[in-house]
Amino acid sequence: MRPALLIIDMINRFDFDGGPALARHAATASSSIQVMRATFHAHDWPVLFVNDNFMDWNSEFSDLVTSCRQLPGAPGQIASALEPQPSDYYVLKPRHSAFLCTTLPAILADLGAKSLVIVGVATDSCVLASVQDAHMRGYTLHVPRDAVAAKSPERSRRALALMEDAMQIDTRPAKTLVRSLLAT
Amino acid sequence: MRPALLIIDMINRFDFDGGPALARHAATASSSIQVMRATFHAHDWPVLFVNDNFMDWNSEFSDLVTSCRQLPGAPGQIASALEPQPSDYYVLKPRHSAFLCTTLPAILADLGAKSLVIVGVATDSCVLASVQDAHMRGYTLHVPRDAVAAKSPERSRRALALMEDAMQIDTRPAKTLVRSLLAT
Amino acid sequence: MRPALLIIDMINRFDFDGGPALARHAATASSSIQVMRATFHAHDWPVLFVNDNFMDWNSEFSDLVTSCRQLPGAPGQIASALEPQPSDYYVLKPRHSAFLCTTLPAILADLGAKSLVIVGVATDSCVLASVQDAHMRGYTLHVPRDAVAAKSPERSRRALALMEDAMQIDTRPAKTLVRSLLAT
Amino acid sequence: MRPALLIIDMINRFDFDGGPALARHAATASSSIQVMRATFHAHDWPVLFVNDNFMDWNSEFSDLVTSCRQLPGAPGQIASALEPQPSDYYVLKPRHSAFLCTTLPAILADLGAKSLVIVGVATDSCVLASVQDAHMRGYTLHVPRDAVAAKSPERSRRALALMEDAMQIDTRPAKTLVRSLLAT
């Protein structure tokens, strides 16, 4: 039973209110996301970029990746570090949750995935909405605390504590989680 | 444009882990919910009980109300104080969110409701999941802070602070909200 | 792997345009539905009444059953013949499909049902919409041709032929299907 | 109130059982679809390609268009004649219906579309499933009979007759519909 990795909204211009602060914290998280993704690639487990299109319905994901990679600072660094590979999946997410008005339920059914590792931004917004929806649909969930970010570390910690208390989500750091996934 | 009041999981045996503590805090919130509901009844605005059936698929809501009213302590007091009236609507909620696998989207469309007041339990579980889903669907939202409850006041405050910061939810107390709704 | 029986919109006042003709054909189908339901009861397989509430959001299903049983002619005969038993499930269906804005996906997941027998009215409206949704969700489907009805036998046959050609649905008569289900 | 045009599954290899026959009939329909689309482009009304990805989750729509255009015969002719323009929208459809596990509900909400013209293939499969879902969601619907196709003309006519009788769908030919849309 192989898990699936959902990378939420990391390909991002971060050009909204509070975006620069979020980008700085996301850049830190992107190191842990790279570690996690390398493990998934090594084991041929599915990696899915679940990403907002920022209401630009007419362009494709590859256009967004290209334009973000050319941005200065954290947004460009993140898009380059996490550049989607040909084997990675892409899911267009028009609302906060990865499950609402998206192809994700169909892809996960086709993949037979029952266990999800959810990473990305923002911990208390799109990540939380996706975790909540995945929890209600019965998935086993992992949200490594160093692979998610919010507009401040306090907001990320608050959302993680809520996930732990209200949904018993596993929030162990990425490296610990990788060891645990490889041991099972 | 009349609002709709969603009362989440207040008709409840509270017989699960942490249930008695939740019931005590819910009993306090039920006073504010009564104030809110009286205002809705007075103006003929719709009131909806959105309630878990606790996997008892074969019984009706009226059976659950009757059995809860007979319980000793806080669960019985709450069910009696909030006893559904004939004009109140009932929505069976099999998952955490009021919107998932329920008739709620159809009822709200028929009622033409665009603004929701969401109250009940637990602030960081079914209330949060419902608020998140309503937010993604574009409803104007109010979650009066004294009309919701969690297993501890800290958990309720944490979830409310998250709703304010991440979704700009109005969490003013019930009496303040009532004055505001009546002024518009 | 036990199947589930979905009985669509048979508890019905049939008081709409074309309703009396539909009621006459539904009365004929109700004999086959009784045979089918008796088999399900005998094997403790789940039976679900998936029924419109005709926009009367404030009443319960038992109220509708009681009021339909008192109707003269075919509507009353059908409601009496198919009177829901305490072990039968009830799903409120506000739209045409049994799956849209209903608890059905949650109940079927809890029951572990993978195979559905769908009966009731009308073959080319709510039955077809439910069959289409079930087909897209991967259920194995049976629609016994003598246990469904439309406003005319021609309309029922046309919808059944479409289901066979476009979705490869099994439409063998109820008694043949019962034998087949018991043999597996 | 501008309408939206949904073009279903016309960018297609038609390499499945019955595909060549479907492609021949689709090539005939593509002339009417071109007329319809030209009207939409002229008035800046939205055009959406709602298209299966044939389980090839890793490629983009532009890849499918390019590969279909190079096919010999009807599939290549259709993909060339209907080549998506930069202003056209694209919706990935993993199931039969244009509404299930897709971004379509979000796009249509953003566009404010209340009226849909649905064209493409197959009349008795993905077109019917999409029409059914749109009908249940309250859209005004038009399915021009010469702009849809099935594996045989009889199957297309049967599905259209069912849509007319059971859902009162307007199935007037494309040119008649264009005149009617321009007159309102």
Side-chain angles (χ1 to χ4, degrees), chain A residues 55 57-58 60-62 86-89 95 101-103 106-107 110, chain D residues 55 57-58 60-62 87-89 95 101-103 106-107 110:
Chain A
M55 307 298 279
W57 292 108
N58 298 104
E60 297 201 329
F61 185 52
S62 54
S87 65
D88 294 341
Y89 297 85
R95 300 288 183 252
C101 297
T102 74
T103 56
I107 299 183
D110 284 0
Chain D
M55 308 297 280
W57 292 106
N58 297 105
E60 297 200 330
F61 184 52
S62 53
S87 66
D88 294 341
Y89 296 84
R95 299 290 183 249
C101 296
T102 74
T103 57
I107 299 184
D110 284 1

PDB file of all heavy atoms in Angstrom, chain A residues 55 57-58 60-62 86-89 95 101-103 106-107 110, chain D residues 55 57-58 60-62 87-89 95 101-103 106-107 110:
ATOM      1  N   MET A  55      -7.069  31.831 -10.692  1.00  0.00           N
ATOM      2  CA  MET A  55      -8.161  32.278 -11.573  1.00  0.00           C
ATOM      3  C   MET A  55      -7.712  32.490 -13.014  1.00  0.00           C
ATOM      4  O   MET A  55      -8.442  33.058 -13.811  1.00  0.00           O
ATOM      5  CB  MET A  55      -8.800  33.571 -11.053  1.00  0.00           C
ATOM      6  CG  MET A  55      -9.241  33.483  -9.607  1.00  0.00           C
ATOM      7  SD  MET A  55     -10.499  32.202  -9.391  1.00  0.00           S
ATOM      8  CE  MET A  55     -11.926  33.145  -9.946  1.00  0.00           C
ATOM      9  N   TRP A  57      -7.716  30.728 -15.794  1.00  0.00           N
ATOM     10  CA  TRP A  57      -8.254  29.465 -16.296  1.00  0.00           C
ATOM     11  C   TRP A  57      -7.676  29.074 -17.646  1.00  0.00           C
ATOM     12  O   TRP A  57      -7.786  27.928 -18.063  1.00  0.00           O
ATOM     13  CB  TRP A  57      -9.773  29.568 -16.441  1.00  0.00           C
ATOM     14  CG  TRP A  57     -10.503  29.678 -15.149  1.00  0.00           C
ATOM     15  CD1 TRP A  57     -11.119  30.786 -14.643  1.00  0.00           C
ATOM     16  CD2 TRP A  57     -10.714  28.634 -14.183  1.00  0.00           C
ATOM     17  NE1 TRP A  57     -11.700  30.499 -13.435  1.00  0.00           N
ATOM     18  CE2 TRP A  57     -11.465  29.180 -13.123  1.00  0.00           C
ATOM     19  CE3 TRP A  57     -10.338  27.286 -14.121  1.00  0.00           C
ATOM     20  CZ2 TRP A  57     -11.852  28.434 -12.017  1.00  0.00           C
ATOM     21  CZ3 TRP A  57     -10.726  26.547 -13.009  1.00  0.00           C
ATOM     22  CH2 TRP A  57     -11.470  27.120 -11.972  1.00  0.00           C
ATOM     23  N   ASN A  58      -7.108  30.009 -18.404  1.00  0.00           N
ATOM     24  CA  ASN A  58      -6.713  29.700 -19.776  1.00  0.00           C
ATOM     25  C   ASN A  58      -5.281  29.208 -19.929  1.00  0.00           C
ATOM     26  O   ASN A  58      -4.880  28.800 -21.010  1.00  0.00           O
ATOM     27  CB  ASN A  58      -6.928  30.918 -20.683  1.00  0.00           C
ATOM     28  CG  ASN A  58      -8.393  31.311 -20.746  1.00  0.00           C
ATOM     29  OD1 ASN A  58      -8.792  32.281 -20.117  1.00  0.00           O
ATOM     30  ND2 ASN A  58      -9.191  30.539 -21.452  1.00  0.00           N
ATOM     31  N   GLU A  60      -1.834  26.803 -18.787  1.00  0.00           N
ATOM     32  CA  GLU A  60      -1.554  25.464 -18.296  1.00  0.00           C
ATOM     33  C   GLU A  60      -0.549  25.542 -17.148  1.00  0.00           C
ATOM     34  O   GLU A  60       0.106  26.553 -16.929  1.00  0.00           O
ATOM     35  CB  GLU A  60      -1.023  24.590 -19.441  1.00  0.00           C
ATOM     36  CG  GLU A  60      -2.077  24.424 -20.536  1.00  0.00           C
ATOM     37  CD  GLU A  60      -1.831  23.204 -21.411  1.00  0.00           C
ATOM     38  OE1 GLU A  60      -0.667  22.828 -21.613  1.00  0.00           O
ATOM     39  OE2 GLU A  60      -2.825  22.624 -21.886  1.00  0.00           O
ATOM     40  N   PHE A  61      -0.428  24.435 -16.418  1.00  0.00           N
ATOM     41  CA  PHE A  61       0.442  24.404 -15.250  1.00  0.00           C
ATOM     42  C   PHE A  61       1.890  24.676 -15.640  1.00  0.00           C
ATOM     43  O   PHE A  61       2.617  25.375 -14.927  1.00  0.00           O
ATOM     44  CB  PHE A  61       0.313  23.043 -14.565  1.00  0.00           C
ATOM     45  CG  PHE A  61       1.082  22.920 -13.281  1.00  0.00           C
ATOM     46  CD1 PHE A  61       0.945  23.867 -12.268  1.00  0.00           C
ATOM     47  CD2 PHE A  61       1.935  21.846 -13.071  1.00  0.00           C
ATOM     48  CE1 PHE A  61       1.640  23.741 -11.067  1.00  0.00           C
ATOM     49  CE2 PHE A  61       2.637  21.715 -11.878  1.00  0.00           C
ATOM     50  CZ  PHE A  61       2.496  22.661 -10.882  1.00  0.00           C
ATOM     51  N   SER A  62       2.314  24.125 -16.785  1.00  0.00           N
ATOM     52  CA  SER A  62       3.705  24.334 -17.209  1.00  0.00           C
ATOM     53  C   SER A  62       4.000  25.825 -17.405  1.00  0.00           C
ATOM     54  O   SER A  62       5.116  26.279 -17.144  1.00  0.00           O
ATOM     55  CB  SER A  62       3.991  23.553 -18.496  1.00  0.00           C
ATOM     56  OG  SER A  62       3.045  23.894 -19.485  1.00  0.00           O
ATOM     57  N   PRO A  86       8.450  14.854 -15.072  1.00  0.00           N
ATOM     58  CA  PRO A  86       7.444  14.275 -15.980  1.00  0.00           C
ATOM     59  C   PRO A  86       6.546  13.228 -15.326  1.00  0.00           C
ATOM     60  O   PRO A  86       5.384  13.081 -15.691  1.00  0.00           O
ATOM     61  CB  PRO A  86       8.294  13.657 -17.091  1.00  0.00           C
ATOM     62  CG  PRO A  86       9.552  14.456 -17.093  1.00  0.00           C
ATOM     63  CD  PRO A  86       9.804  14.821 -15.648  1.00  0.00           C
ATOM     64  N   SER A  87       7.075  12.524 -14.334  1.00  0.00           N
ATOM     65  CA  SER A  87       6.256  11.483 -13.701  1.00  0.00           C
ATOM     66  C   SER A  87       5.318  12.048 -12.634  1.00  0.00           C
ATOM     67  O   SER A  87       4.451  11.326 -12.127  1.00  0.00           O
ATOM     68  CB  SER A  87       7.162  10.427 -13.061  1.00  0.00           C
ATOM     69  OG  SER A  87       7.897  11.002 -12.000  1.00  0.00           O
ATOM     70  N   ASP A  88       5.495  13.324 -12.273  1.00  0.00           N
ATOM     71  CA  ASP A  88       4.621  13.915 -11.251  1.00  0.00           C
ATOM     72  C   ASP A  88       3.261  14.244 -11.857  1.00  0.00           C
ATOM     73  O   ASP A  88       3.155  14.602 -13.027  1.00  0.00           O
ATOM     74  CB  ASP A  88       5.243  15.198 -10.675  1.00  0.00           C
ATOM     75  CG  ASP A  88       6.533  14.928  -9.894  1.00  0.00           C
ATOM     76  OD1 ASP A  88       6.749  13.765  -9.488  1.00  0.00           O
ATOM     77  OD2 ASP A  88       7.311  15.877  -9.698  1.00  0.00           O
ATOM     78  N   TYR A  89       2.231  14.150 -11.046  1.00  0.00           N
ATOM     79  CA  TYR A  89       0.868  14.478 -11.469  1.00  0.00           C
ATOM     80  C   TYR A  89       0.588  15.943 -11.148  1.00  0.00           C
ATOM     81  O   TYR A  89       1.198  16.537 -10.264  1.00  0.00           O
ATOM     82  CB  TYR A  89      -0.149  13.609 -10.738  1.00  0.00           C
ATOM     83  CG  TYR A  89      -0.026  12.145 -11.037  1.00  0.00           C
ATOM     84  CD1 TYR A  89       0.875  11.342 -10.335  1.00  0.00           C
ATOM     85  CD2 TYR A  89      -0.816  11.549 -12.011  1.00  0.00           C
ATOM     86  CE1 TYR A  89       0.987   9.988 -10.602  1.00  0.00           C
ATOM     87  CE2 TYR A  89      -0.714  10.198 -12.287  1.00  0.00           C
ATOM     88  CZ  TYR A  89       0.193   9.425 -11.586  1.00  0.00           C
ATOM     89  OH  TYR A  89       0.298   8.081 -11.854  1.00  0.00           O
ATOM     90  N   ARG A  95     -10.446  25.973  -5.569  1.00  0.00           N
ATOM     91  CA  ARG A  95     -10.884  26.412  -4.238  1.00  0.00           C
ATOM     92  C   ARG A  95      -9.786  26.076  -3.225  1.00  0.00           C
ATOM     93  O   ARG A  95      -8.720  25.627  -3.621  1.00  0.00           O
ATOM     94  CB  ARG A  95     -12.210  25.742  -3.864  1.00  0.00           C
ATOM     95  CG  ARG A  95     -13.357  26.047  -4.835  1.00  0.00           C
ATOM     96  CD  ARG A  95     -13.859  27.469  -4.699  1.00  0.00           C
ATOM     97  NE  ARG A  95     -15.011  27.754  -5.566  1.00  0.00           N
ATOM     98  CZ  ARG A  95     -14.932  28.527  -6.653  1.00  0.00           C
ATOM     99  NH1 ARG A  95     -13.793  29.066  -7.039  1.00  0.00           N
ATOM    100  NH2 ARG A  95     -16.034  28.774  -7.358  1.00  0.00           N
ATOM    101  N   CYS A 101     -14.057  20.454  -6.391  1.00  0.00           N
ATOM    102  CA  CYS A 101     -14.004  20.828  -7.818  1.00  0.00           C
ATOM    103  C   CYS A 101     -12.648  20.479  -8.420  1.00  0.00           C
ATOM    104  O   CYS A 101     -12.082  21.265  -9.186  1.00  0.00           O
ATOM    105  CB  CYS A 101     -14.299  22.319  -8.016  1.00  0.00           C
ATOM    106  SG  CYS A 101     -15.936  22.825  -7.523  1.00  0.00           S
ATOM    107  N   THR A 102     -12.125  19.307  -8.100  1.00  0.00           N
ATOM    108  CA  THR A 102     -10.850  18.865  -8.669  1.00  0.00           C
ATOM    109  C   THR A 102     -10.944  17.413  -9.115  1.00  0.00           C
ATOM    110  O   THR A 102     -11.859  16.684  -8.730  1.00  0.00           O
ATOM    111  CB  THR A 102      -9.682  18.947  -7.658  1.00  0.00           C
ATOM    112  OG1 THR A 102      -9.818  17.882  -6.710  1.00  0.00           O
ATOM    113  CG2 THR A 102      -9.639  20.285  -6.954  1.00  0.00           C
ATOM    114  N   THR A 103      -9.933  17.005  -9.887  1.00  0.00           N
ATOM    115  CA  THR A 103      -9.843  15.616 -10.332  1.00  0.00           C
ATOM    116  C   THR A 103      -9.213  14.705  -9.266  1.00  0.00           C
ATOM    117  O   THR A 103      -9.122  13.491  -9.485  1.00  0.00           O
ATOM    118  CB  THR A 103      -8.965  15.522 -11.603  1.00  0.00           C
ATOM    119  OG1 THR A 103      -7.684  16.094 -11.312  1.00  0.00           O
ATOM    120  CG2 THR A 103      -9.587  16.284 -12.762  1.00  0.00           C
ATOM    121  N   ALA A 106     -10.714  11.309  -8.292  1.00  0.00           N
ATOM    122  CA  ALA A 106     -10.615  10.320  -9.373  1.00  0.00           C
ATOM    123  C   ALA A 106      -9.198   9.766  -9.493  1.00  0.00           C
ATOM    124  O   ALA A 106      -9.000   8.566  -9.656  1.00  0.00           O
ATOM    125  CB  ALA A 106     -11.057  10.934 -10.696  1.00  0.00           C
ATOM    126  N   ILE A 107      -8.190  10.654  -9.391  1.00  0.00           N
ATOM    127  CA  ILE A 107      -6.798  10.175  -9.494  1.00  0.00           C
ATOM    128  C   ILE A 107      -6.473   9.243  -8.324  1.00  0.00           C
ATOM    129  O   ILE A 107      -5.912   8.167  -8.516  1.00  0.00           O
ATOM    130  CB  ILE A 107      -5.795  11.351  -9.494  1.00  0.00           C
ATOM    131  CG1 ILE A 107      -6.045  12.283 -10.685  1.00  0.00           C
ATOM    132  CG2 ILE A 107      -4.362  10.818  -9.529  1.00  0.00           C
ATOM    133  CD1 ILE A 107      -5.035  13.415 -10.776  1.00  0.00           C
ATOM    134  N   ASP A 110      -7.966   5.910  -8.840  1.00  0.00           N
ATOM    135  CA  ASP A 110      -7.228   5.146  -9.859  1.00  0.00           C
ATOM    136  C   ASP A 110      -5.904   4.625  -9.302  1.00  0.00           C
ATOM    137  O   ASP A 110      -5.480   3.518  -9.631  1.00  0.00           O
ATOM    138  CB  ASP A 110      -6.942   6.023 -11.087  1.00  0.00           C
ATOM    139  CG  ASP A 110      -8.190   6.204 -11.950  1.00  0.00           C
ATOM    140  OD1 ASP A 110      -9.243   5.660 -11.596  1.00  0.00           O
ATOM    141  OD2 ASP A 110      -8.096   6.892 -12.981  1.00  0.00           O
TER     142      ASP A 110
ATOM    143  N   MET D  55      -7.197   8.603 -19.051  1.00  0.00           N
ATOM    144  CA  MET D  55      -6.362   8.066 -17.967  1.00  0.00           C
ATOM    145  C   MET D  55      -4.884   8.413 -18.120  1.00  0.00           C
ATOM    146  O   MET D  55      -4.058   7.850 -17.408  1.00  0.00           O
ATOM    147  CB  MET D  55      -6.516   6.545 -17.865  1.00  0.00           C
ATOM    148  CG  MET D  55      -7.955   6.073 -17.772  1.00  0.00           C
ATOM    149  SD  MET D  55      -8.763   6.693 -16.279  1.00  0.00           S
ATOM    150  CE  MET D  55      -8.097   5.522 -15.096  1.00  0.00           C
ATOM    151  N   TRP D  57      -2.856  10.752 -16.994  1.00  0.00           N
ATOM    152  CA  TRP D  57      -2.875  11.847 -16.026  1.00  0.00           C
ATOM    153  C   TRP D  57      -1.672  12.775 -16.137  1.00  0.00           C
ATOM    154  O   TRP D  57      -1.689  13.887 -15.633  1.00  0.00           O
ATOM    155  CB  TRP D  57      -2.927  11.284 -14.600  1.00  0.00           C
ATOM    156  CG  TRP D  57      -4.204  10.611 -14.252  1.00  0.00           C
ATOM    157  CD1 TRP D  57      -4.418   9.261 -14.120  1.00  0.00           C
ATOM    158  CD2 TRP D  57      -5.470  11.232 -13.979  1.00  0.00           C
ATOM    159  NE1 TRP D  57      -5.734   9.011 -13.776  1.00  0.00           N
ATOM    160  CE2 TRP D  57      -6.396  10.200 -13.687  1.00  0.00           C
ATOM    161  CE3 TRP D  57      -5.900  12.561 -13.952  1.00  0.00           C
ATOM    162  CZ2 TRP D  57      -7.735  10.463 -13.366  1.00  0.00           C
ATOM    163  CZ3 TRP D  57      -7.231  12.814 -13.638  1.00  0.00           C
ATOM    164  CH2 TRP D  57      -8.126  11.779 -13.351  1.00  0.00           C
ATOM    165  N   ASN D  58      -0.593  12.311 -16.775  1.00  0.00           N
ATOM    166  CA  ASN D  58       0.639  13.104 -16.739  1.00  0.00           C
ATOM    167  C   ASN D  58       0.799  14.059 -17.909  1.00  0.00           C
ATOM    168  O   ASN D  58       1.712  14.865 -17.925  1.00  0.00           O
ATOM    169  CB  ASN D  58       1.865  12.182 -16.665  1.00  0.00           C
ATOM    170  CG  ASN D  58       1.867  11.360 -15.395  1.00  0.00           C
ATOM    171  OD1 ASN D  58       1.571  10.176 -15.435  1.00  0.00           O
ATOM    172  ND2 ASN D  58       2.160  12.005 -14.270  1.00  0.00           N
ATOM    173  N   GLU D  60      -0.590  17.072 -20.720  1.00  0.00           N
ATOM    174  CA  GLU D  60      -1.464  18.235 -20.735  1.00  0.00           C
ATOM    175  C   GLU D  60      -2.377  18.178 -21.956  1.00  0.00           C
ATOM    176  O   GLU D  60      -2.153  17.410 -22.899  1.00  0.00           O
ATOM    177  CB  GLU D  60      -0.620  19.511 -20.725  1.00  0.00           C
ATOM    178  CG  GLU D  60       0.194  19.615 -19.434  1.00  0.00           C
ATOM    179  CD  GLU D  60       0.661  21.033 -19.132  1.00  0.00           C
ATOM    180  OE1 GLU D  60       0.891  21.810 -20.067  1.00  0.00           O
ATOM    181  OE2 GLU D  60       0.777  21.364 -17.937  1.00  0.00           O
ATOM    182  N   PHE D  61      -3.404  19.019 -21.949  1.00  0.00           N
ATOM    183  CA  PHE D  61      -4.399  19.017 -23.014  1.00  0.00           C
ATOM    184  C   PHE D  61      -3.750  19.360 -24.355  1.00  0.00           C
ATOM    185  O   PHE D  61      -4.089  18.777 -25.392  1.00  0.00           O
ATOM    186  CB  PHE D  61      -5.503  20.016 -22.674  1.00  0.00           C
ATOM    187  CG  PHE D  61      -6.638  20.042 -23.662  1.00  0.00           C
ATOM    188  CD1 PHE D  61      -7.296  18.876 -24.030  1.00  0.00           C
ATOM    189  CD2 PHE D  61      -7.069  21.244 -24.205  1.00  0.00           C
ATOM    190  CE1 PHE D  61      -8.360  18.905 -24.930  1.00  0.00           C
ATOM    191  CE2 PHE D  61      -8.126  21.280 -25.109  1.00  0.00           C
ATOM    192  CZ  PHE D  61      -8.771  20.109 -25.472  1.00  0.00           C
ATOM    193  N   SER D  62      -2.793  20.293 -24.334  1.00  0.00           N
ATOM    194  CA  SER D  62      -2.149  20.691 -25.594  1.00  0.00           C
ATOM    195  C   SER D  62      -1.434  19.498 -26.229  1.00  0.00           C
ATOM    196  O   SER D  62      -1.374  19.387 -27.464  1.00  0.00           O
ATOM    197  CB  SER D  62      -1.161  21.839 -25.345  1.00  0.00           C
ATOM    198  OG  SER D  62      -0.256  21.487 -24.320  1.00  0.00           O
ATOM    199  N   SER D  87      -8.273  31.703 -26.173  1.00  0.00           N
ATOM    200  CA  SER D  87      -9.326  32.189 -25.276  1.00  0.00           C
ATOM    201  C   SER D  87     -10.263  31.080 -24.802  1.00  0.00           C
ATOM    202  O   SER D  87     -11.088  31.298 -23.911  1.00  0.00           O
ATOM    203  CB  SER D  87     -10.144  33.276 -25.981  1.00  0.00           C
ATOM    204  OG  SER D  87     -10.847  32.715 -27.074  1.00  0.00           O
ATOM    205  N   ASP D  88     -10.171  29.889 -25.383  1.00  0.00           N
ATOM    206  CA  ASP D  88     -11.048  28.792 -24.971  1.00  0.00           C
ATOM    207  C   ASP D  88     -10.559  28.205 -23.651  1.00  0.00           C
ATOM    208  O   ASP D  88      -9.361  28.183 -23.369  1.00  0.00           O
ATOM    209  CB  ASP D  88     -11.076  27.691 -26.044  1.00  0.00           C
ATOM    210  CG  ASP D  88     -11.716  28.147 -27.351  1.00  0.00           C
ATOM    211  OD1 ASP D  88     -12.453  29.158 -27.344  1.00  0.00           O
ATOM    212  OD2 ASP D  88     -11.474  27.490 -28.384  1.00  0.00           O
ATOM    213  N   TYR D  89     -11.488  27.719 -22.860  1.00  0.00           N
ATOM    214  CA  TYR D  89     -11.155  27.097 -21.585  1.00  0.00           C
ATOM    215  C   TYR D  89     -11.008  25.588 -21.786  1.00  0.00           C
ATOM    216  O   TYR D  89     -11.569  25.025 -22.722  1.00  0.00           O
ATOM    217  CB  TYR D  89     -12.258  27.349 -20.556  1.00  0.00           C
ATOM    218  CG  TYR D  89     -12.444  28.793 -20.210  1.00  0.00           C
ATOM    219  CD1 TYR D  89     -13.231  29.628 -20.989  1.00  0.00           C
ATOM    220  CD2 TYR D  89     -11.831  29.332 -19.080  1.00  0.00           C
ATOM    221  CE1 TYR D  89     -13.412  30.965 -20.663  1.00  0.00           C
ATOM    222  CE2 TYR D  89     -12.001  30.668 -18.748  1.00  0.00           C
ATOM    223  CZ  TYR D  89     -12.789  31.479 -19.547  1.00  0.00           C
ATOM    224  OH  TYR D  89     -12.957  32.787 -19.225  1.00  0.00           O
ATOM    225  N   ARG D  95     -14.407  11.399 -15.473  1.00  0.00           N
ATOM    226  CA  ARG D  95     -15.542  10.468 -15.510  1.00  0.00           C
ATOM    227  C   ARG D  95     -16.457  10.859 -16.682  1.00  0.00           C
ATOM    228  O   ARG D  95     -16.094  11.723 -17.454  1.00  0.00           O
ATOM    229  CB  ARG D  95     -16.315  10.539 -14.183  1.00  0.00           C
ATOM    230  CG  ARG D  95     -15.473  10.140 -12.963  1.00  0.00           C
ATOM    231  CD  ARG D  95     -15.153   8.669 -12.946  1.00  0.00           C
ATOM    232  NE  ARG D  95     -14.405   8.284 -11.748  1.00  0.00           N
ATOM    233  CZ  ARG D  95     -13.128   7.901 -11.753  1.00  0.00           C
ATOM    234  NH1 ARG D  95     -12.425   7.894 -12.883  1.00  0.00           N
ATOM    235  NH2 ARG D  95     -12.538   7.515 -10.631  1.00  0.00           N
ATOM    236  N   CYS D 101     -15.924  15.390 -10.436  1.00  0.00           N
ATOM    237  CA  CYS D 101     -14.469  15.446 -10.259  1.00  0.00           C
ATOM    238  C   CYS D 101     -13.831  16.374 -11.290  1.00  0.00           C
ATOM    239  O   CYS D 101     -12.765  16.047 -11.847  1.00  0.00           O
ATOM    240  CB  CYS D 101     -13.835  14.055 -10.353  1.00  0.00           C
ATOM    241  SG  CYS D 101     -14.351  12.928  -9.055  1.00  0.00           S
ATOM    242  N   THR D 102     -14.445  17.528 -11.533  1.00  0.00           N
ATOM    243  CA  THR D 102     -13.884  18.503 -12.469  1.00  0.00           C
ATOM    244  C   THR D 102     -13.969  19.906 -11.886  1.00  0.00           C
ATOM    245  O   THR D 102     -14.688  20.147 -10.916  1.00  0.00           O
ATOM    246  CB  THR D 102     -14.644  18.528 -13.818  1.00  0.00           C
ATOM    247  OG1 THR D 102     -15.912  19.186 -13.625  1.00  0.00           O
ATOM    248  CG2 THR D 102     -14.857  17.140 -14.383  1.00  0.00           C
ATOM    249  N   THR D 103     -13.241  20.818 -12.553  1.00  0.00           N
ATOM    250  CA  THR D 103     -13.270  22.224 -12.149  1.00  0.00           C
ATOM    251  C   THR D 103     -14.482  22.958 -12.732  1.00  0.00           C
ATOM    252  O   THR D 103     -14.670  24.146 -12.441  1.00  0.00           O
ATOM    253  CB  THR D 103     -11.999  22.934 -12.656  1.00  0.00           C
ATOM    254  OG1 THR D 103     -11.924  22.782 -14.079  1.00  0.00           O
ATOM    255  CG2 THR D 103     -10.756  22.348 -12.023  1.00  0.00           C
ATOM    256  N   ALA D 106     -16.719  25.279 -10.631  1.00  0.00           N
ATOM    257  CA  ALA D 106     -16.024  26.506 -10.202  1.00  0.00           C
ATOM    258  C   ALA D 106     -15.907  27.501 -11.355  1.00  0.00           C
ATOM    259  O   ALA D 106     -16.123  28.703 -11.172  1.00  0.00           O
ATOM    260  CB  ALA D 106     -14.638  26.153  -9.645  1.00  0.00           C
ATOM    261  N   ILE D 107     -15.566  27.030 -12.549  1.00  0.00           N
ATOM    262  CA  ILE D 107     -15.452  27.934 -13.700  1.00  0.00           C
ATOM    263  C   ILE D 107     -16.811  28.558 -14.013  1.00  0.00           C
ATOM    264  O   ILE D 107     -16.922  29.775 -14.204  1.00  0.00           O
ATOM    265  CB  ILE D 107     -14.928  27.196 -14.955  1.00  0.00           C
ATOM    266  CG1 ILE D 107     -13.535  26.613 -14.712  1.00  0.00           C
ATOM    267  CG2 ILE D 107     -14.887  28.131 -16.152  1.00  0.00           C
ATOM    268  CD1 ILE D 107     -12.931  25.947 -15.944  1.00  0.00           C
ATOM    269  N   ASP D 110     -17.623  31.212 -11.599  1.00  0.00           N
ATOM    270  CA  ASP D 110     -16.824  32.416 -11.854  1.00  0.00           C
ATOM    271  C   ASP D 110     -17.340  33.170 -13.080  1.00  0.00           C
ATOM    272  O   ASP D 110     -17.359  34.403 -13.105  1.00  0.00           O
ATOM    273  CB  ASP D 110     -15.346  32.059 -12.070  1.00  0.00           C
ATOM    274  CG  ASP D 110     -14.654  31.724 -10.760  1.00  0.00           C
ATOM    275  OD1 ASP D 110     -15.316  31.748  -9.704  1.00  0.00           O
ATOM    276  OD2 ASP D 110     -13.454  31.445 -10.789  1.00  0.00           O
TER     277      ASP D 110
END
